[in-house]
Amino acid sequence: MKTEYSDSPDTYEAAFDATIPRGWSAWFGGQNVRIGPRIAPRIAPVPTGDEVRDSDSGLSSSDAILHKQLEEEAGCAIQYRTCSWQKTAALLFSEYICLAIMSFPWSYSILGLVPGLILTVVQALIVLYTSIVLWEFCLRHPEVRDVCDIGQMLFWGQKWAWYFTGFMFILNNTFIQGLHILVGAKYLNTMAGPNASISCQTVSFGAIITVICWISSLPRTFSMLSKLGTASAAFTFISVILATIFAGIQAHPAGFNAEPTTDPTTGTALPFGNPIVTAVPILSTTFVSGLGAFLNISYTFIGQITLPSFIAEMREPRDFPKALWACTILEILVFSIVGAVTYAFVGNQYMTSPAFGSLIPLYKKIAFSFMIPTIIFLGVLYASVSARFIFFRIFQNSRHKNEHTVVGWVSWALILLATWIVAFVIANSIPFFNSLLALMSSLFDSFFGFIFWGVAYFRMRKADGAVALLKDRSIRGWFEGVLNIIIILTGVFFLTVGTYASVQGILDEFALGTVGSAFQCASNGI
């Protein structure tokens, strides 16, 4: 039953305040979190058994669904809701502390150091805020397993919204898998050198990485993957710190020339002189390159697409913000320090992306080698999220979901294999790092980083009985209302102008001949 409001301001404020999350718990989680009403009837599948009666009160309904899920899994061989907030933090660290950090120095070289650092902090705070909105939504609807369930609920239960979100969800995750195949082949090429006696070198290395990643994807629960994620994040941290130190202690960046010179093969001018570091963008910076650099930063921060899947496997979802805050603080520190310090020593003219290519060969190979666990694991994480999406739909009400059966394990392995095959094709069709990051950011982050969560905010406030800017005239109501309008418009900007800039950047790279061709055999090592 919906809350009735009288015309009395005091009565309205009291009823309104009872549903809106307030206080520290609204930002940091814990047992005192208020769970508001649902925005729509339950549409996502939940475990079979006695039906849980929906109510508009939200609190009893949400708790009842969560407890039912835990009861249904009790005694099963494979249990999913087993993650503590510490294990979830490990998953977040492994997702965000990744190879894309090494694109920050390049972004700063395009944007200038000061705008780059400002955009880094602003983007981190926007992602933190939208992730808290997402968490609040998942608390109200604990039956959602992934962002596709949320997509359907946000757009009034329309089935097209579920299919559209599902398509974008799978495509996003598969692009990320492809990115890690590309980087894995780039690493092997860097170690082996351009003249290794291997048939069709880059494609072959990509195939090897694909098989390794597929095998590594086989664990079925996030609780198991969180252990691997902890190791992955630790190795990545070591890798980027080493790269930063090496950038500072090497005599000159890779490719340094004291005097003007040309490439003896192509005759093109090569960079020369001491590294140039600028606080603001240089005058020749184009709109396309500047937006591409910002999209690179955005891609590294925006990972909300996986958060509903992580929350769905937490034993106590109220604790999720603890993991989120820990990860965000570490992100800002690591991304800013690594990006700024590396850029300061490498400069504009010698910068590569990832920035390992700006190190002399020995340092490059040492630092890049510590990135191996992340090259494998992060693709594995997104493959696992995609496989869950498909697997849970096929076996939702079957014993194959929670028990060790031949049918269950074979189906799981085949679903994963299919995603890795498609990722292999993507990796060899778009064989360049920066532009692939920018394209992924514009196409997918527009929805899963901005638009969805702005819409979710307004849907939840309407369910609470007060749409910001209309009824909730508090300072916080006005501020959050305007903020979420800006968030939605930012998503639209990413989708339209950002996609244009990304595609134009790809065309420019092909025209300049700075990237290889699709399914190239030549080495793509850095």
Side-chain angles (χ1 to χ4, degrees), residues 188-247:
L188 293 178
N189 273 313
T190 300
M191 296 298 111
N195 299 314
S197 301
I198 300 173
S199 177
C200 204
Q201 186 168 324
T202 295
V203 175
S204 297
F205 283 153
I208 292 171
I209 295 296
T210 301
V211 173
I212 293 173
C213 288
W214 172 59
I215 294 172
S216 302
S217 304
L218 292 176
R220 296 248 301 258
T221 67
F222 283 138
S223 181
M224 175 66 70
L225 287 178
S226 69
K227 299 179 177 66
L228 301 176
T230 302
S232 169
F235 275 95
T236 302
F237 185 76
I238 294 171
S239 176
V240 298
I241 294 300
L242 282 177
T244 305
I245 294 172
F246 290 157

Side-chain angles (χ1 to χ4, degrees), residues 29 38 68 83 98 145 208 318 328 340 377 390 429 486 512:
R38 303 175 62 87
K68 173 62 70 175
C83 282
C98 63
R145 298 295 312 186
I208 292 171
R318 285 179 172 87
T328 301
F377 176 78
I390 299 171
S429 300
I486 293 173
L512 294 172

Side-chain angles (χ1 to χ4, degrees), residues 261-270:
T261 185
T262 58
D263 187 316
T265 304
T266 63
T268 57
L270 295 175

Side-chain angles (χ1 to χ4, degrees), residues 413-431:
L414 290 177
I415 292 169
L416 286 168
L417 180 61
T419 66
W420 281 112
I421 290 174
V422 175
F424 173 78
V425 174
I426 292 173
N428 285 280
S429 300
I430 311 177

Side-chain angles (χ1 to χ4, degrees), residues 375-397:
I375 292 173
I376 302 299
F377 176 78
L378 195 53
V380 164
L381 181 63
Y382 279 88
S384 184
V385 170
S386 293
R388 275 171 171 68
F389 169 71
I390 299 171
F391 186 83
F392 287 163
R393 264 66 187 182
I394 297 174
F395 297 110
Q396 176 60 38
N397 299 314

Side-chain angles (χ1 to χ4, degrees), residues 255-262 269-276 348-350:
F256 174 81
N257 295 290
E259 301 295 336
T261 185
T262 58
L270 295 175
F272 69 95
N274 292 324
I276 299 171
N348 292 336
Q349 67 270 51
Y350 305 110

